[in-house]
Amino acid sequence: MEVLVLLLICFSAGEALNVRALVGDDVTLSVDTTTSSDIGENVMEWSRTDLNPDIVHRHENRRTIYEHQNPAYRGRTMLSAEDLDRGIISLKLPRVRLADEGNYTCLFKSAENMYTVHLLVGAASSPVITLEEVKGEVLVLGCRAKGWYPQPKLSWWTTDGLPLPAVTMTTTQDPNQLYNISSTVEVESRSLSRYLTCRVHQELFNQTRETEIHLPENILSGLARSCRTTDGLIAVAVVLALMTIVIIIIIDGKNGPK
């Protein structure tokens, strides 16, 4: 998982801005108090109204006040001392979790100095391609991707960049609200493409993960021989040996949170 530090500076009290991050990222939420002098002695508080207790981090006289801090943030938050010297309140939140998504309010001195940042958290993983079934001279390939958020879309593509129709498409959500998506596709020998790609994309976070599979030309003769054997386990083993599947996981470097 790539670690990405996101820094958002809000220049005016009352203005709400969005920050996007992936699960596991280190995030810094920052607000500029427009006070260029040291504010480390002042009282400042980050909170989430949807939590009970709602305090994410409280600071006073250059110390962190742990009383009434929400247990989910205990030991996970800190303020940048260097930024406080410049009048900036920067809350550091490492290893972001899906449950960290929400509206964060920073209160500085009084209600007149209130800042709001909305943190959006996503999750992504690389898909895995498997051989599901051999039906005559037809391969049934499966693709699975686990732990996505929000809900992604899965598609199959040929070497020529043409979409392949999926036979099945299933999406489930686990107790942690993460989405698992799976699909199968049938590849006939007459139209067998040497390379197939399973692509999973999530639009909000502009995240794409791809897995490419290479099917050697000799797979057709190996498939025909393996289908004549009476032992199903041996048949699948022979097909897998002949396929010499080469899987390349491609992560688009441009698909980071925006």
Side-chain angles (χ1 to χ4, degrees):
M1 182 73 69
E2 299 178 359
V3 177
L4 181 66
V5 179
L6 301 178
L7 177 62
L8 174 68
I9 299 181
C10 178
F11 292 97
S12 60
E15 180 183 358
L17 294 178
N18 293 331
V19 171
R20 291 183 175 88
L22 296 179
V23 170
D25 287 351
D26 294 339
V27 176
T28 300
L29 307 179
S30 297
V31 296
D32 192 339
T33 64
T34 67
T35 301
S36 58
S37 59
D38 182 4
I39 58 173
E41 299 290 340
N42 297 107
V43 176
M44 56 202 75
E45 179 179 291
W46 284 91
S47 62
R48 282 179 55 184
T49 57
D50 59 323
L51 298 181
N52 185 22
D54 64 348
I55 296 178
V56 172
H57 187 98
R58 182 177 174 83
H59 174 96
E60 185 175 350
N61 294 324
R62 303 191 185 279
R63 294 187 303 112
T64 297
I65 308 300
Y66 295 102
E67 186 178 6
H68 304 306
Q69 184 183 32
N70 190 285
Y73 292 93
R74 182 63 61 89
R76 297 181 58 220
T77 61
M78 66 176 296
L79 295 185
S80 169
E82 180 180 350
D83 283 353
L84 290 177
D85 291 341
R86 299 183 294 129
I88 299 174
I89 307 173
S90 294
L91 176 70
K92 296 184 177 182
L93 183 60
R95 301 177 301 281
V96 167
R97 307 168 183 171
L98 192 60
D100 292 332
E101 181 173 278
N103 287 318
Y104 289 74
T105 299
C106 178
L107 184 64
F108 174 61
K109 289 186 178 181
S110 66
E112 287 75 25
N113 295 288
M114 185 178 296
Y115 309 82
T116 301
V117 177
H118 183 55
L119 177 62
L120 298 167
V121 180
S125 67
S126 297
V128 176
I129 296 178
T130 57
L131 175 62
E132 297 293 317
E133 188 179 356
V134 179
K135 300 192 300 185
E137 293 191 352
V138 174
L139 295 180
V140 180
L141 300 177
C143 181
R144 295 178 176 83
K146 297 181 178 180
W148 279 75
Y149 188 86
Q151 184 174 344
K153 294 182 179 180
L154 186 152
S155 57
W156 292 89
W157 300 84
T158 68
T159 306
D160 301 322
L162 299 176
L164 276 176
V167 176
T168 63
M169 187 74 66
T170 304
T171 303
T172 60
Q173 195 170 17
D174 64 24
N176 295 320
Q177 305 304 310
L178 294 173
Y179 287 92
N180 303 318
I181 189 168
S182 61
S183 175
T184 60
V185 68
E186 292 184 352
V187 183
E188 298 181 358
S189 59
R190 294 180 181 178
S191 60
L192 187 61
S193 177
R194 298 275 74 82
Y195 291 89
L196 295 177
T197 298
C198 175
R199 179 179 301 154
V200 183
H201 178 73
Q202 206 294 313
E203 186 174 357
L204 179 63
F205 285 81
N206 193 26
Q207 287 295 307
T208 299
R209 300 290 188 272
E210 294 181 347
T211 295
E212 185 179 84
I213 184 171
H214 175 219
L215 304 173
E217 293 183 6
N218 63 357
I219 186 177
L220 298 181
S221 58
L223 178 59
R225 290 197 302 272
S226 66
C227 288
R228 290 196 293 267
T229 183
T230 57
D231 191 330
L233 293 177
I234 295 177
V236 173
V238 171
V239 173
L240 290 175
L242 291 172
M243 285 177 68
T244 316
I245 298 175
V246 179
I247 296 178
I248 305 172
I249 297 177
I250 305 171
I251 299 179
D252 190 341
K254 296 184 292 182
N255 289 331
K258 295 183 177 180

